[in-house]
Structures are given as structure tokens and as C-alpha cells.
Amino acid sequence: MASKNQMTDPLRVGVAIRAQLQHEIPKDLPLERDFREGTDYTITDHVVELHRTLVKDPRTLELMTGLVTHLHTFARETALTHAEWTKIITFLTRVGKESTDYQNEFIILSDTLGLSALVDELTHPKPAGCTDSCEAGPFYVPNAPEVPSGSSLAKAGTHGEAMFFSGTVKNTKGQGIKGAKIDVWQADGDGIYDVQYPGTTEANDRGKIVAEDDGSFCYRGILPTAYPIPSNGPSGDLLRALGRHPHRASHIHFVLVAPGYDDLTTALYPSHSPFLGTDPVFATKKSLVCNVVEECNPEQWAKMGFQDGEVTNGRVWVWTYGFVLPTVEEVKQFTRKRGSAKL
Amino acid sequence: MASKNQMTDPLRVGVAIRAQLQHEIPKDLPLERDFREGTDYTITDHVVELHRTLVKDPRTLELMTGLVTHLHTFARETALTHAEWTKIITFLTRVGKESTDYQNEFIILSDTLGLSALVDELTHPKPAGCTDSCEAGPFYVPNAPEVPSGSSLAKAGTHGEAMFFSGTVKNTKGQGIKGAKIDVWQADGDGIYDVQYPGTTEANDRGKIVAEDDGSFCYRGILPTAYPIPSNGPSGDLLRALGRHPHRASHIHFVLVAPGYDDLTTALYPSHSPFLGTDPVFATKKSLVCNVVEECNPEQWAKMGFQDGEVTNGRVWVWTYGFVLPTVEEVKQFTRKRGSAKL
């Protein structure tokens, strides 16, 4: 046993480990109330009370209180067992370990649980009549080349069928927005983005279109097809365990910006795409689904700007959409009104 | 653009990626109902509905429904922003990446959010009058040496003050339980477990005590002191951000087993310990806190089995506790009754 000079205070914290700590050791707090399931002071109340006593930043406290309460209520309502808890810990550890800079499995998990789409909807409230938003996804590249309306975004040789996209960017009063820029990026006819091809150096199926003064714009390109989100990691294993598939519905991504207006990040989906109702990331809002029609008249192709031989299979897919942007001020007012309606 | 033989079906899934998939591509499901915040069919309803349609195992469906509902409600109630979501993703990725076989940061995170203690309480319901349980923690070693009651568990030279622990193992009728075995493990007076010392080969402050026929047992050892949980990883950073400390209250761990009785994993805490009200893993139930008294009479030390010179500082810390174990049958009945009370 210890000699007197080794041991002076039996109540002390282990000296060897204590020396390594950066924590201040606070005086104990008067929180020694018993907590017990089935009483009016459970462990949930105890954790929340501890945080209420110690956490200084109000937003941190709000988030921690919500997190602890929902996490505990989930465990309580489902009577989560220790064996299930162990599986969850093992799974989450894998999700972290198998994440890379290019494939963050926690983002995919959040996407496939609908959390990302919900956070997007909460972060970007849209007044009635304005175009809905959705997440940008992993294939956005900033500083895409700026091109005039009417350009082709697909290089010669790009796989897929010809598409003509024609859009308008208007405000809530129905007026075209001058100075709007439309960042477009999409997969090709094989469901593959330019950046996914090895050795890509130039943008393809991607560009920043400057709208006409009346807010209209168009581009020639390729009809995108459906493609799967990465499913080779733990989040893919979860999808499989749930009987779900990883295939996103076909879509084109857009970011619209115009001075004085609220930026819009969104995507549009052709109604002919499979997977619209079972999109793995829940980004397929009805308002973003469009009828895309086949134009089989070569005279019309020429008017759209297609050259001889560019159109295969005897058709151009014609896609039209009218984007509506709220002003920054309208979003502020809407958010304020919605906030006070909640109180 | 593509030649005709490259491109036959514009509706198809990207062929290149599709070939790599193990997923069956299911027929799309009739789930194309619009989901929208503030309506009676939100994205939460949509995700839950998709799972209800696809998930075959009822327990998996129950867990996923609870998880998605609480995760979404958390985001909605706190109006979680995209910036906050990004911080959470980054943090969880770190928690996974920095976990090791010896220090799983997700377990520590679960512990410090009170989830582990709650799951333990839910998994091990204890009828009234029975000793409460708590988590075993990371220092349990199976197959500790079996020793008779009255043994010393501390090797000569172990740092700390002398302690005499005296306990009884009884059933709910107050009868001593014959054949009870008590697995004990604890830190020494420096707050350190045997397995934490480099090069440890023999058990110290640890052993499986065989109780007397009347269920009583005792051992000589060292009064444990408080020690911190690991706080050098992301879960430690979170504790610091919340103004919390990592110091567990002093304690002794126990696993009690006896034929016909429900196994009990628990720990006891001396009332003199700091951190009882702010224990970072919330395992300090009131019923497990004991008054540990100082015995200063050398005649009593000899009766306990201490040799001359083994007692330092002129005192032995005497710790007594009466464990009460329910039978397996009593736990079954209790669980059944509690379950039906919930309905």
C-alpha cells in the first residue's frame, strides 16, 4: 500500500491522469437529485438540467436540449436494447471510418434519411408561387464558364439524346428578371457528370448562362438519365437492408442568382424518369417535375440551333420551365410572418 | 452526340454505373405524392411511408420510423440551419475517424449524452427494492481469478489508502443467496486500473469473489479515487464546449451472478466523492451512493485481516452495502406488468 507522502487526499482525482488534462475541474454542482425511469425526473431531465446549468451559448443549449430529448425519447419509445445500441454504435463508427473527402458517408446517410432535404427546406423558405429549392449535391463546380443564352453546353461526342432547354426567370409579379445568371450542371445520357470522367479538364454539360434582358434563356444539350448515389459504403448497406434502391431520378441542377433576389439552388426532373417517387435523397418535389416533350420536326431542330447529324433517334427532347424568384425582402417578410405564426 | 447504337433508351439508368451495382432495381412505387412543410404530408411522412412500403422486418421498421421522426422533429423544432448541419456532419465524421479499438468515440458520445445509461436502465428493468444497475464501462476483464471471501484484491505496493468492503447478496425476501459470485474491478488510489499500467500481466484491484453460503462477502483493497474518461478526442471537445468536465465520481464496479437470479452489473460510489452530481456518463444513481466510514482502531484492522504496516494514514475506509437481486422469474413478471401498464 502507499506511503504517507504518496497519498495525502483520498478524495482527490487520480493524479497521474489529472496532470494530462486541459479541463478546469469545476466545483461540483447541486445536481445530486435522483433520476429514474417512470418518475417525474428521468435521466433526460437530469442531462437537460446539467446543460441548462453549464452551457453559456443559448443556441448551443437549444440544440443540445433538443438533441438529448429526441435521442432519449427515441430510445424510450422503441425500448432500444443494449444489443441494438451496440449495432448502432458499430454502424456509426463505420460511417465515419469509411468517409472520404469525396464520399462523406454521413452526408449520404443524412440525405437518405431525408434530413438534408428537410434542412434545405427549412433553411430556404420560399413564399407561395416561388420555385422550390433542393440541395446542390456533390457535383457542383464553382466558376463554370459563362456563356450566352442559346449556347450548347454539351461537347461533340457526349453520350445521350439531344435536348433543348428553354426557361424564364421571373419575379413574383410575373416580370422577367434582367441580369439573371443560371448555373447549370447535369449528367450526360449515361448518368455521368464531366468531373466523374478520369482526366477531365474542361467543363461539359455544365455552364453559367447569362439570361436575356427579359429573363429568358435556353441551351442545347443532352437529356440526362438517372444514376445512383454511391452505395458501396455503410449508408448503401443501410439502403439495401431497408429494401431501398440508390437511384436518383434523372435531373438537371440549377443555381439562379440575380441582384436583389434570393439565390435559388434547385433541380428539375422529367416526368418520364423512373424513381421519382422513391428518390433516395427525397429531392423530387412535385413542383420540380416537368413534362419533357419529343420534337420530331427537323425544321424545329434547326431553329433551336442544332446542326445536321447532331440529333439522333429522330427526336429532340424539349424541356421548358418558368423559374420564379422572390426578392431578398420578400423572403425576409415571409420568414418573419412564418416565425410569428409559430408563436 | 451519341450514335444510335450507343443510345437506345433515354429513360434508362446510367449504364456504366449500373453495371457496378448489386442492387436490384425495383419497379417504382406509387409514392409520388407531394411533400411540403406546413402541410399535412411533410417529408417526414414521405420517408416513413416509403419505409412502411418497403421494410419487411417489423422491428427494423419500428426503429427506422422512430429515428426518422425524431431526427426530423429535432431539425424542425430547432429550425436547424444548413451551416449547423454542416458542423454536425463534420463532427460526426471526426467521431468515427478518431475512434480506435480501445477508445470508441461514439460510445463516449453516447455515454456523455446519457444515452448509454438510459439504454442500460431500459434493458435491465429492476423490480422495486432491487439494486440498480449501471454500465460495465471499458475496464471489465472476463475470467478474473476466483478468490474466497475475505481475500485481499490489492497487491502489495498498490497506491492508495486501505479499504475494507463488506457486502451481502440477498433476494427480495431478505434471504442470503447461496452460490453468489461477485466480480469486482476498481481503480487504485491514483484512479488507475491494472490494465492501464503498461506491461500488466496479473490482475490487481480485481477478482471474482465467491460469497459465503449466507450470501455475505468481504475483501480488503484500496479506496478508489475519481478519474476522467478519455477527453482527447471529439467527444472530449464537445464536453469542453458544453462547460462540462470528464471526471467520473470514484467508484467500484460489480457484476453479481447467482443461479436462478438476474445478473446484476452495477457500481457503487462513496458519498465523499466529488463529481457525483455531474458525473459525465450519468451512472451515479442515488441508490448506489454509500457512506464510507473511517475506522481508526488498529484492533479492528487486525480483525479485517490487515497486517502491520498495510494501513497508512491511520485509517481504514469501511464500505458496506447490501445487494438485492431479483429472480429471473421476478424480472419477467415485472417486465410483463410494466409493458401492459404502458398499453
Side-chain angles (χ1 to χ4, degrees):
Chain A
M1 315 247 162
S3 69
K4 205 154 186 173
N5 60 355
Q6 282 175 315
M7 185 70 205
T8 53
D9 176 10
L11 316 186
R12 83 202 193 292
V13 174
V15 282
I17 295 176
R18 181 182 183 175
Q20 302 161 12
L21 290 174
Q22 295 161 2
H23 289 260
E24 287 269 319
I25 299 177
K27 278 187 66 173
D28 208 14
L29 295 159
L31 283 165
E32 298 188 24
R33 191 169 161 196
D34 199 23
F35 45 89
R36 189 169 293 278
E37 280 310 285
T39 73
D40 63 355
Y41 191 76
T42 66
I43 189 170
T44 311
D45 301 307
H46 186 64
V47 179
V48 166
E49 189 60 27
L50 180 67
H51 288 165
R52 240 182 236 142
T53 310
L54 292 172
V55 177
K56 294 208 173 84
D57 174 58
R59 180 60 176 165
T60 304
L61 178 60
E62 184 179 15
L63 290 174
M64 289 307 299
T65 300
L67 175 69
V68 167
T69 305
H70 280 292
L71 195 62
H72 285 208
T73 309
F74 162 68
R76 199 172 276 125
E77 285 176 355
T78 59
L80 191 70
T81 68
H82 192 272
E84 289 165 341
W85 172 88
T86 304
K87 273 192 193 173
I88 294 170
I89 294 285
T90 306
F91 176 76
L92 291 177
T93 307
R94 247 192 95 197
V95 172
K97 293 255 177 253
E98 297 186 25
S99 287
T100 67
D101 288 348
Y102 301 98
Q103 184 175 326
N104 185 303
E105 288 282 322
F106 272 112
I107 293 181
I108 301 176
L109 188 62
S110 165
D111 291 352
T112 55
L113 295 178
L115 179 64
S116 308
L118 175 60
V119 169
D120 179 72
E121 198 172 355
L122 294 169
T123 306
H124 301 289
K126 299 291 176 195
C130 297
T131 305
D132 282 317
S133 70
C134 72
E135 288 268 292
F139 299 119
Y140 177 70
V141 177
N143 304 317
E146 213 165 272
V147 296
S149 175
S151 302
S152 171
L153 296 190
K155 285 194 287 191
T158 302
H159 286 194
E161 291 200 17
M163 176 189 76
F164 183 74
F165 188 98
S166 166
T168 56
V169 186
K170 292 186 173 167
N171 62 23
T172 54
K173 292 173 184 148
Q175 299 159 327
I177 299 176
K178 192 176 168 176
K181 289 184 181 177
I182 305 101
D183 222 332
V184 177
W185 69 108
Q186 59 160 85
D188 62 19
D190 287 338
I192 300 174
Y193 288 81
D194 55 359
V195 292
Q196 294 183 292
Y197 285 100
T200 307
T201 53
E202 275 179 78
N204 194 23
D205 304 311
R206 175 188 305 272
K208 192 176 281 180
I209 302 168
V210 183
E212 308 287 351
D213 282 357
D214 66 353
S216 69
F217 71 98
C218 62
Y219 75 95
R220 278 166 292 130
I222 287 292
L223 184 73
T225 58
Y227 62 87
I229 61 169
S231 64
N232 58 339
S235 56
D237 289 344
L238 180 62
L239 278 188
R240 271 182 289 277
L242 299 175
R244 289 169 55 184
H245 66 75
H247 302 287
R248 296 229 49 212
S250 316
H251 59 278
I252 305 175
H253 291 281
F254 298 89
V255 171
L256 289 85
V257 293
Y261 290 87
D262 194 44
D263 291 356
L264 170 66
T265 301
T266 192
L268 297 179
Y269 305 83
S271 59
H272 66 233
S273 176
F275 316 127
L276 281 169
T278 58
D279 187 89
V281 307
F282 307 102
T284 51
K285 275 201 143 44
K286 276 266 191 214
S287 66
L288 303 173
V289 177
C290 314
N291 280 317
V292 180
V293 297
E294 298 175 53
E295 174 57 68
C296 300
N297 182 349
E299 280 176 34
Q300 295 300 322
W301 305 346
K303 282 185 194 164
M304 294 170 191
F306 286 102
Q307 305 291 315
D308 280 354
E310 281 186 340
V311 176
T312 56
N313 288 355
R315 60 188 172 193
V316 169
W317 295 87
V318 179
W319 195 324
T320 55
Y321 194 77
F323 295 94
V324 179
L325 302 190
T327 62
V328 171
E329 191 50 44
E330 283 170 332
V331 170
K332 267 191 200 153
Q333 279 175 17
F334 177 70
T335 310
R336 214 177 294 134
K337 213 157 95 187
R338 219 183 43 164
S340 60
K342 271 189 192 167
L343 294 176
Chain B
M1 313 244 166
S3 69
K4 205 155 185 170
N5 60 356
Q6 282 175 315
M7 185 69 205
T8 54
D9 177 9
L11 315 186
R12 83 204 193 291
V13 174
V15 283
I17 295 178
R18 182 181 181 172
Q20 303 162 12
L21 289 174
Q22 297 160 2
H23 288 262
E24 288 270 319
I25 299 178
K27 278 187 63 173
D28 207 14
L29 296 158
L31 282 164
E32 298 188 24
R33 190 170 160 196
D34 198 24
F35 45 88
R36 190 170 292 278
E37 280 309 286
T39 73
D40 63 354
Y41 191 76
T42 66
I43 188 169
T44 311
D45 300 307
H46 186 64
V47 179
V48 166
E49 189 60 28
L50 180 69
H51 289 165
R52 240 182 235 140
T53 309
L54 292 172
V55 177
K56 294 209 172 82
D57 175 58
R59 181 58 176 165
T60 304
L61 178 60
E62 184 179 15
L63 290 175
M64 289 308 298
T65 301
L67 176 69
V68 167
T69 305
H70 280 291
L71 195 61
H72 285 206
T73 309
F74 162 68
R76 199 172 276 125
E77 285 176 354
T78 60
L80 190 69
T81 67
H82 193 272
E84 288 164 342
W85 172 90
T86 304
K87 273 190 192 173
I88 293 169
I89 294 286
T90 306
F91 176 75
L92 291 175
T93 307
R94 247 193 93 198
V95 172
K97 292 254 176 252
E98 298 187 24
S99 286
T100 67
D101 288 347
Y102 302 99
Q103 184 175 327
N104 186 302
E105 288 282 321
F106 272 112
I107 293 182
I108 302 175
L109 188 62
S110 166
D111 292 351
T112 54
L113 295 179
L115 180 65
S116 307
L118 175 60
V119 169
D120 180 73
E121 197 172 356
L122 295 169
T123 306
H124 302 289
K126 300 292 176 194
C130 296
T131 305
D132 283 316
S133 70
C134 71
E135 289 267 292
F139 299 119
Y140 177 70
V141 177
N143 305 318
E146 213 166 271
V147 296
S149 176
S151 302
S152 171
L153 296 189
K155 287 194 285 190
T158 302
H159 285 194
E161 291 201 15
M163 176 190 76
F164 183 75
F165 188 99
S166 166
T168 56
V169 187
K170 293 186 173 168
N171 63 23
T172 55
K173 293 172 183 150
Q175 299 159 327
I177 299 175
K178 193 177 167 175
K181 288 184 182 177
I182 304 100
D183 223 332
V184 178
W185 69 107
Q186 59 160 85
D188 62 18
D190 288 338
I192 300 173
Y193 287 81
D194 55 358
V195 293
Q196 295 183 290
Y197 285 101
T200 307
T201 53
E202 276 180 77
N204 194 25
D205 304 311
R206 173 188 307 272
K208 192 177 280 179
I209 302 168
V210 183
E212 308 287 351
D213 282 358
D214 66 352
S216 69
F217 73 98
C218 62
Y219 75 94
R220 278 165 291 131
I222 287 293
L223 184 72
T225 57
Y227 61 88
I229 60 170
S231 65
N232 58 338
S235 56
D237 289 343
L238 179 62
L239 278 188
R240 270 182 290 277
L242 299 175
R244 289 170 56 186
H245 66 76
H247 302 286
R248 296 229 50 212
S250 315
H251 59 278
I252 304 175
H253 291 281
F254 298 89
V255 171
L256 289 85
V257 295
Y261 290 86
D262 194 44
D263 292 354
L264 170 66
T265 302
T266 192
L268 298 178
Y269 305 82
S271 58
H272 66 233
S273 176
F275 316 127
L276 281 169
T278 57
D279 188 89
V281 307
F282 306 102
T284 50
K285 276 201 142 43
K286 276 264 190 215
S287 65
L288 303 173
V289 177
C290 313
N291 280 317
V292 180
V293 297
E294 298 175 53
E295 175 56 69
C296 301
N297 182 348
E299 280 176 33
Q300 296 299 323
W301 304 346
K303 283 186 192 162
M304 295 170 191
F306 286 100
Q307 307 290 314
D308 281 353
E310 281 187 338
V311 177
T312 54
N313 287 356
R315 60 189 173 193
V316 168
W317 294 88
V318 179
W319 194 325
T320 56
Y321 193 78
F323 294 94
V324 180
L325 302 189
T327 63
V328 172
E329 191 50 45
E330 283 171 330
V331 170
K332 267 191 203 155
Q333 279 175 16
F334 177 70
T335 310
R336 214 177 295 134
K337 212 156 92 187
R338 221 183 38 164
S340 59
K342 271 190 195 167
L343 295 175

